[in-house]
Amino acid sequence: MRMNSPVSLGALAALVSLIPAITAASDITQDRDKRGLVMDVPFMVEQAGAAGIDHVYDGPWEFFVGGGGAGLDCNGDRKTDLFIAGGKNPAQLYVNKSATGGELSFEKRETGLDPALLENVTGAYPVDIDNDGHKDIVLLRVGRNAILKGGPDCTFTNASRQFSFDGGREWTTAFAATFEKDRTYPTLAFGNYVDRSAPGSPWGTCHDNFLFRPQVDDKSGNLSASGTGGEPDYSQQMTLSPGYCTLSMLFTDWKRSGEPDLRMTNDRQYYRGGEEQLWRMDPQRPPRLYRAAEGWRHVTIWGMGIAEADLNADGYPEYALTSMGDTKLQTLDEEAEEGRPVYRDIAFERGATAQRPYVGDAIRPSTGWHSEFADFNNDGKLDLFIAKGNVEKMPDFADFDPDNMLLGTHDGKFVEAGDLSGIALHTKGRGAVIADFNNDGMLDLLVVNRGGKASLFRNTGAMAQGGKTMQMGNWLEIELAQKGANRDAVGARISVKSGNETRVRTIQVGGGHASGHIGFVHVGLGVAERAQIRVQWPDGEWSAPFRVFANQFVRIDRGAESARYWLPE
């Protein structure tokens, strides 16, 4: 293990302010042993103010939900920049200026966009829609949604009219994108919340959701769905009805067919009879809901966030669904017939219910929002992060409801370490971005909070004796690229094998809660010093195996004979 890089003089004042936290953190070893934690606990230091992020997501009741951010590289330096929703406050772009392995640092950047467009934003997701190599941003809004076309050096323009996209006037709270078979441009799905114009709103008035499949202008005046030529045309909207107040969604290849379906998690609070949904996606037909006759089981929760991960590398993903009260962890039933979406809940047996706060007032239930699997301690086991926070002042739910850091263990269970890691703040978490902001091989964390400043946590490593931090396990960060359509290989599966262990990651646009990230894919390796990477590209073709050393940034171009290392400056 190696010690972290020395702190710069410019950060000395910030470090002095952290002395009490560091002193308390020196007891982590004892607390960890009492809980039976045998893995490293990542020590997360909150640095939002020192890093230059002072953003607040706030507003009236329409903004009780949402509150997300997009993580993307908008200037080509392979650092994750941030675009953060503000609700009634303007959304804000922050460009990453962090030194490699050093303190986190961001610079506020004006976008030059119409100020009205940056207001009423609930969430944001990055995706390269027009395949030009620049990341675009899809804005979710209370009102007209928008597509921001990315350009050089973090410049953006409103391309909604250019792409024939009518953002509507709904209350949008969820988004996902995928590249369907034989299409050059992505299919876009938007999830909407309450229809505020309907009689009796909000009760029983959930809005329908929308799907946009790209048409293409072939320069002859004809429109074609073949996905070749011209610019994307999103003028044709499909209605997904009924809608049950969707708060998160993702495209998921749950049956390993190569054609992902669309899964939604819905807030039952406003709709009697509402439930979770899975839409069958056939590229040549309109979507339709899976029915009970096909194995889909009725599940009713206050659905807020959704995350996917293949926890045991068997090819079939598991799902973490957050709610008011508990978290569901669903896995495909072992007795399910092939092609039938029959799921069972394993949250209790895996220790992932997260139904009440783990510190403070543990009587009232929790309220879970953004969920995401990630390996924060580089031990090779996926952890589960959940952003928590009371909707506003609901007396039946916990007021002090800190975010969860559920660390994965060798036996497939999860153990809470949020308080030990330093993320147990008295905030109202909503969306989040998990990424390695300073390119040191350890995942950092941005949490967007309602009614308060965003939290930015730097992962400083595992706590050792005397309050010092040490590098945890080994790691890889992997970037995929292919020419033509879908340059970021959305939908690809990355398989990383070291020894007898295989870890799987899928590149997705969607999930979480109102937040998304695209860029390097992080994989913890534990003690392994080498690994073999194979990529199943979005069309199903497998790459050759690439043998790489640990603790490297790896770039893989489709068709290349070998992987390339990238060294951050």
Side-chain angles (χ1 to χ4, degrees), residues 66-127:
L72 69 160
D73 173 14
C74 62
N75 56 9
D77 63 359
R78 289 187 166 80
K79 294 179 182 179
T80 299
D81 308 299
L82 293 168
F83 184 93
I84 308 176
K88 274 300 179 183
N89 297 323
Q92 182 62 58
L93 174 66
Y94 290 89
V95 177
N96 193 340
K97 297 295 184 179
S98 306
T100 301
E103 304 296 311
L104 303 184
S105 176
F106 287 83
E107 177 185 274
K108 187 179 294 187
R109 180 75 60 86
E110 296 301 321
T111 62
L113 295 164
D114 181 352
L117 184 66
L118 298 178
E119 296 177 355
N120 300 324
V121 176
T122 59
Y125 286 84
V127 57

Side-chain angles (χ1 to χ4, degrees), residues 251 253 308-310 317 489-494 504-508 521:
F251 286 99
D253 188 6
E308 172 190 307
D310 186 354
V490 174
R493 295 176 69 245
I494 303 172
V504 177
R505 302 289 190 269
T506 301
I507 297 180
Q508 292 176 306
V521 176

Side-chain angles (χ1 to χ4, degrees), residues 217-553:
D217 185 351
D218 65 3
K219 304 303 183 183
S220 66
N222 299 317
L223 292 178
S224 168
S226 63
T228 57
E231 288 184 338
D233 182 304
Y234 290 107
S235 59
Q236 295 191 16
Q237 173 184 289
M238 294 183 182
T239 300
L240 304 180
S241 182
Y244 293 135
C245 292
T246 302
L247 284 176
S248 295
M249 57 171 52
L250 55 77
F251 286 99
T252 174
D253 188 6
W254 64 271
K255 59 184 182 296
R256 299 197 303 184
S257 68
E259 295 181 353
D261 292 320
L262 179 60
R263 178 154 187 177
M264 302 176 181
T265 187
N266 302 313
D267 186 357
R268 73 176 181 182
Q269 177 164 330
Y270 294 114
Y271 208 101
R272 183 177 298 173
E275 62 175 324
E276 302 296 282
Q277 293 174 311
L278 180 64
W279 291 83
R280 183 190 291 273
M281 297 290 296
D282 184 329
Q284 304 305 321
R285 294 180 177 85
R288 70 166 180 82
L289 281 169
Y290 278 89
R291 302 180 294 268
E294 297 171 285
W296 182 248
R297 293 175 175 173
H298 181 85
V299 175
T300 299
I301 59 175
W302 289 292
M304 294 180 171
I306 187 170
E308 172 190 307
D310 186 354
L311 295 177
N312 58 1
D314 66 350
Y316 296 98
E318 281 72 41
Y319 303 92
L321 312 175
T322 59
S323 178
M324 299 171 69
D326 64 358
T327 296
K328 302 292 185 185
L329 183 59
Q330 293 188 331
T331 190
L332 195 64
D333 196 296
E334 296 174 353
E335 298 182 0
E337 298 178 12
E338 186 174 355
R340 290 173 62 83
V342 183
Y343 285 88
R344 60 187 179 91
D345 184 17
I346 58 173
F348 181 78
E349 64 187 72
R350 296 291 183 90
T353 54
Q355 76 275 27
R356 287 184 173 85
Y358 49 91
V359 294
D361 180 5
I363 299 176
R364 295 185 179 89
S366 283
T367 306
W369 298 89
H370 184 99
S371 60
E372 188 168 347
F373 291 99
D375 188 353
F376 283 94
N377 58 2
N378 289 343
D379 66 351
K381 308 297 181 184
L382 280 170
D383 312 313
L384 177 58
F385 169 79
I386 302 173
K388 290 282 190 68
N390 197 299
V391 172
E392 189 64 1
K393 295 180 180 178
M394 298 184 72
D396 293 334
F397 292 85
D399 178 50
F400 178 33
D401 197 6
D403 303 335
N404 293 101
M405 175 78 73
L406 292 161
L407 297 181
T409 66
H410 68 281
D411 58 1
K413 296 182 179 181
F414 294 90
V415 179
E416 183 61 62
D419 52 341
L420 301 182
S421 68
I423 67 169
L425 305 183
H426 199 336
T427 52
K428 293 180 181 178
R430 291 297 190 262
V433 176
I434 299 173
D436 180 3
F437 293 127
N438 60 353
N439 290 338
D440 63 356
M442 297 182 289
L443 289 174
D444 309 302
L445 171 65
L446 170 87
V447 184
V448 183
N449 301 309
R450 168 165 171 79
K453 291 184 178 181
S455 304
L456 181 68
F457 297 95
R458 178 191 170 196
N459 189 341
T460 60
M463 184 57 59
Q465 296 293 335
K468 296 181 179 180
T469 55
M470 301 182 70
Q471 180 73 33
M472 298 173 291
N474 295 325
W475 51 272
L476 287 172
E477 300 206 24
I478 304 165
E479 179 187 71
L480 303 185
Q482 57 182 9
K483 296 180 179 179
N486 192 8
R487 294 178 59 144
D488 296 312
V490 174
R493 295 176 69 245
I494 303 172
S495 175
V496 180
K497 184 176 181 181
S498 57
N500 295 324
E501 295 284 339
T502 299
R503 292 105 182 174
V504 177
R505 302 289 190 269
T506 301
I507 297 180
Q508 292 176 306
V509 176
H513 176 66
S515 307
H517 167 253
I518 197 164
F520 277 108
V521 176
H522 178 273
V523 182
L525 296 178
V527 298
E529 297 179 349
R530 295 177 176 83
Q532 175 182 284
I533 302 173
R534 291 197 71 192
V535 178
Q536 186 177 27
W537 296 96
D539 62 4
E541 179 181 307
W542 281 95
S543 73
F546 302 103
R547 299 184 185 278
V548 298
F549 290 101
N551 303 327
Q552 299 291 336
F553 291 83

